[in-house]
Amino acid sequence: MKEEIKLLTSKLRLKSDNSFNIKIYQLDLWHYKLRSLTSVDDKIQKIINLHKEKIDQEASYLRPIKVDEINYYSYLYKEKEKDSFWVEFLPKELKENLDFKIDRMSFVLFAHVNNNVFAIIGGGGTRVVKPYLNDRFGIELFERLTEKNSEEIISITYRGISGTLNQSNLIYKEGQRLSDTLEFDSIPTNIVLSLTDYIKDSFFDFIDFEDRNIKLEISSSFFIKQRISFYELHNLFFRIDEILKNRNRLYLTSFVQVTDKKFEDDEYPKLLMKELRDVMVYEFGSDRKRVKKFDIDFVHPSKIKDYYESDKYVIKWKGDHKGIEVNDRSKIFKKGLKYIYDDLGEQVSQGDFNNSMWKLLVLCYKSGKVIKAPFFKYITCELEFNKQPVFQIDGNWYKVKSDFKDRVNELCKGYLEEYCLEDELLEETWGKDVSEGSYNLQYSNRPNYWVLDKCLGDNIELCDIMIETEEKIYLVHVKSGFDAKMRDLSNQIIISAKRLKNSLDSGDFNFINQVIDSYNKKEETKPEIESKLEFFAKFREKKIIYVLAFKSTWKSGEKVKDNIDKANSNIAKYSLIQCVKEMKSSSFQISITEIDNGF
């Protein structure tokens, strides 16, 4: 077989005399821009044509060549990348009317094998295929290769399920096993590990590894860190196709991203749309009958930090120039539903509501920059489908493994006990009809208490309540409800901690200075901060502790800490877990307290 392939590649002048480091990607052929096309050839042509429309220069395209049942498509183009360094060196008179732009070659090789299309990329070729890539291909392929996750790990990058804000990169000492490092409540996005003899011999026996220790990097691509020939790449395409077709997956996380388009693009979004219409009618219509609360968090699906730091938000229809402006991000969700309600009314059909929701956008503005996403993609929620939980998080849909609930309950309970705030600092009862702002203000004018709720620096809230003791400063963040809003609370703490650390490390107190100015302008907050220098000094001299403070809305009077299995919101639980994990690796301590709700 090996000789036959070599002969064929030689005849077609496809045999190469060199070897290279090659990353392999996989295309998502069911991307919304491609799904209306029936043939793979048409889908590849569409990708190429869409890219050609975006570039100025003429591109080169080689019609498919078939080699051993693999159709190869070559796409090549040049682009102006940057000015030569001579532009900075030469005087104006010596470079006038001369083009010093450096050309960069960009290339994509598509390989169509059965029902899969793989790609290798050179130069800036990523821009051709990026919208259509399976961004977890390398990891999903590895899940079909590993048996016990016993591989020696070099490094791993996690994205916390409570947001890309919590991404962390960890490097391990020699001998650490992948199975010992996996976090059930986080999603690995990049892993570098040593390729085991089992994987080499069982799946990649046609590659000459010699006796070297070979590294494998898995992310959106599958990258064996060894130079390979075109012949080996050709066989690798075949083997990967077989593995995807015949091998079961050993999942690396309890969260499993849904890729079945029937559910990802149809069943689950329809379920979400029904919930959203019901909430809209309940909030603004005459029918106020709704048995179950819709537990959500509202945050940009990828630009979380930018979302929190934005100056203003605009809700509008796709294609419209104007919409409605919102300055308080906590009101965007209801304002968006009201925007649809005012346009369509209470009797709108589910189909018409869905069509409108698909077109509704939220734009976030900060210092002239704008980020945007569809309104419904901002929603983080947990729904029930066929009596099983499904989650929309960061615009993607996830299911969980069967042991998830027990594991998250156990870890959350442990954290609530281990990081419980020992000092009684928030003894005021938080009653049923008391708002968050009103509760915070109960601590105004107390000695060594400062209510900094909505006192922003760089559009970031340092805390809701600051409390000073002889040795410590407590930065308390407060939220009502042990539900999806815990994700918002977790993100607020993490953003505040990172911003405060930057201020302390750099000596630039502009952030805290803005918080003080905002505080002193409020009539209801006392006492006034008279000396900024003395206030700054507190953060240098005393231990800083962040406090995650929440009240449950349970009418039983039971504490969440003692009854974690009765808490329905998995989003609340893993948001708390992620917050503690993130803060454990920060410069500040974290404590947790549950506020008495009066029941």
Side-chain angles (χ1 to χ4, degrees), residues 104-207:
R104 178 168 71 159
M105 184 279 295
S106 296
F107 169 73
V108 181
L109 176 68
F110 300 89
H112 172 205
V113 191
N114 294 320
N115 294 320
N116 287 301
V117 174
F118 306 109
I120 63 172
I121 298 167
T126 305
R127 287 192 287 274
V128 179
V129 295
K130 185 175 182 179
Y132 317 99
L133 293 180
N134 172 5
D135 59 9
R136 293 189 57 78
F137 164 63
I139 291 173
E140 290 174 358
L141 176 58
F142 175 76
E143 288 175 332
R144 289 179 164 86
L145 299 175
T146 186
E147 284 198 314
K148 298 180 180 179
N149 295 329
S150 59
E151 294 78 10
E152 182 179 330
I153 186 167
I154 312 301
S155 68
I156 185 167
T157 301
Y158 282 114
R159 183 178 68 78
I161 201 68
S162 61
T164 51
L165 180 70
N166 301 328
Q167 183 161 292
S168 58
N169 184 37
L170 303 173
I171 299 174
Y172 296 94
K173 62 184 180 181
E174 187 175 351
Q176 191 83 23
R177 299 296 165 189
L178 178 60
S179 57
D180 298 328
T181 62
L182 293 172
E183 302 277 357
F184 84 98
D185 56 335
S186 297
I187 297 176
T189 56
N190 182 286
I191 304 175
V192 179
L193 44 82
S194 293
L195 203 57
T196 63
D197 290 338
Y198 164 74
I199 292 179
K200 291 178 187 175
D201 298 339
S202 301
F203 304 105
F204 307 127
D205 54 317
F206 49 86
I207 297 177

Side-chain angles (χ1 to χ4, degrees), residues 481-491 548 550 572 575-576:
F482 192 74
D483 50 29
K485 290 192 291 294
M486 290 290 288
R487 186 174 190 248
D488 183 46
L489 184 60
S490 169
N491 285 334
L548 185 155
F550 69 93
S575 294
L576 183 146

